[in-house]
Amino acid sequence: MTIPTRTLGRSGISAGAVGLGCMSFSNIYGGFEESADETIGRALDLGVTLLDTADIYGPFTSEQLVGRAIASRRDEVVLATKFGIVRDPDSPNGMGVNGTPEYVRSSLDGSLGRLGVDHIDLYYLHRPSGLTPIEETVGALAEQVEAGKIGHIGLSEASADTLRRAAAVHPIAALQTEYSLFSRDIEGPILDTCRELGIGLVPYSPLGRGFLTGSFATPDDLDPSDWRRNNPRFAAEAMAANRTLVDLIGTIAQRLVVTSGQVALAWVLAQGDDVIPIPGTTKIPHLEANAAAADIVLEPDDLAVLDGAAERVRGPRADPSLGWTNRDTPPLPTA
């Protein structure tokens, strides 16, 4: 089986319709197996060619493992990584953002070294900075495109205004953001702006951080060190309410003789040919099931039922007080 390909907006980036998020090749979910070689090798065999990582995953662990895994197959990979999130003990969530031109250059060189490559196909600003105007960050990224170190520029969790300001400096190939039946807040201005500007969409957590697969039902089902335990949507009361969405997905999956995760992915894929979701896994059977979702076509009635299910979701996808999603940046200083 080789999955079909898609193109991200007007960027010209062509990759398998389902990608692989590589955050799982770090300790973010409470421990991991170093199975990157086998998992990524199988992904490429299946046509899952968009591999997405970031310097903060570990930090550095994921990039190192991905680099090792693709060393002999670099020409088969659409390689994406991200920069900008930094440790900040003074921040409420322990994280900050650095989008300065100087940090663009140093982060890029670090990622190139860990990945063992001479260029990165798609390089994202992991979050827009609250201190650096997006024009300055994208301007520095554009210089690296000209230098041949970056193929395309991406943004993650950017507002519609940030996307427009960034695209006025240099074409933006993709927006990476959380998007699934569990998280649909980008629908409206953000998604409309992507389509207007020809920016492809790369949904992370398209399986609702695993919840939509039906594989766990309460916080007690998660590893004690799993960060999802601190997410408001995974509080016990919210999870209990959100089981109704999982049950709805499961009913459709049972009728189609597929998995709940495949139905959830098929819904995301049905949102446009410019959409390439990047579910993460370290397990080959899960990878194969995710890839197979590219061939599932949901009927209009099923899509309509799922489209109306957003009202079932309880709890924000992130703590609103942190301002960590759909972010703006400050304006350029006036002369």
Side-chain angles (χ1 to χ4, degrees), residues 151-176:
H152 301 270
I153 298 170
L155 300 181
S156 181
E157 288 288 0
S159 68
D161 180 67
T162 300
L163 288 168
R164 288 188 183 281
R165 289 169 52 192
V169 177
H170 189 278
I172 302 301
L175 172 68
Q176 184 175 142

Side-chain angles (χ1 to χ4, degrees), residues 130-161:
L131 300 174
T132 305
I134 193 65
E135 292 87 352
E136 294 182 6
T137 307
V138 173
L141 288 167
E143 292 176 357
Q144 301 305 312
V145 173
E146 293 177 4
K149 293 184 178 182
I150 300 172
H152 301 270
I153 298 170
L155 300 181
S156 181
E157 288 288 0
S159 68
D161 180 67

Side-chain angles (χ1 to χ4, degrees), residues 14 27 89 158 232 250 258 287:
S14 179
N27 60 359
V258 298
L287 169 74

Side-chain angles (χ1 to χ4, degrees), residues 112-304:
L112 289 169
R114 286 184 292 272
L115 290 163
V117 298
D118 61 7
H119 74 282
I120 291 164
D121 300 306
L122 178 56
Y123 195 51
Y124 291 97
L125 174 62
H126 208 157
R127 291 291 189 278
S129 171
L131 300 174
T132 305
I134 193 65
E135 292 87 352
E136 294 182 6
T137 307
V138 173
L141 288 167
E143 292 176 357
Q144 301 305 312
V145 173
E146 293 177 4
K149 293 184 178 182
I150 300 172
H152 301 270
I153 298 170
L155 300 181
S156 181
E157 288 288 0
S159 68
D161 180 67
T162 300
L163 288 168
R164 288 188 183 281
R165 289 169 52 192
V169 177
H170 189 278
I172 302 301
L175 172 68
Q176 184 175 142
T177 192
E178 186 171 357
Y179 187 48
S180 69
L181 282 166
F182 212 28
S183 300
R184 297 177 60 181
D185 55 292
I186 67 164
E187 293 178 346
I190 293 176
L191 190 52
D192 291 348
T193 299
C194 286
R195 298 280 164 65
E196 177 190 339
L197 299 176
I199 297 171
L201 184 67
V202 179
Y204 71 81
S205 298
L207 298 175
R209 305 187 187 278
F211 186 67
L212 300 181
T213 67
S215 58
F216 57 90
T218 74
D220 292 337
D221 295 330
L222 301 173
D223 188 277
S225 62
D226 193 314
W227 76 272
R228 287 173 291 188
R229 283 177 169 266
N230 299 316
N231 184 288
R233 193 165 284 174
F234 291 91
E237 184 176 346
M239 286 181 72
N242 292 332
R243 284 294 305 176
T244 61
L245 172 59
V246 176
D247 292 342
L248 173 63
I249 295 170
T251 298
I252 295 173
Q254 186 174 20
R255 175 165 48 79
L256 297 178
V257 196
V258 298
T259 69
S260 293
Q262 287 174 322
V263 170
L265 279 175
W267 180 88
V268 174
L269 288 162
Q271 303 313 300
D273 291 338
D274 55 352
V275 178
I276 301 180
I278 49 169
T281 185
T282 60
K283 297 179 173 61
I284 288 177
H286 293 173
L287 169 74
E288 292 172 338
N290 292 342
D295 292 323
I296 296 173
V297 179
L298 297 174
E299 295 297 327
D301 287 349
D302 288 333
L303 287 171

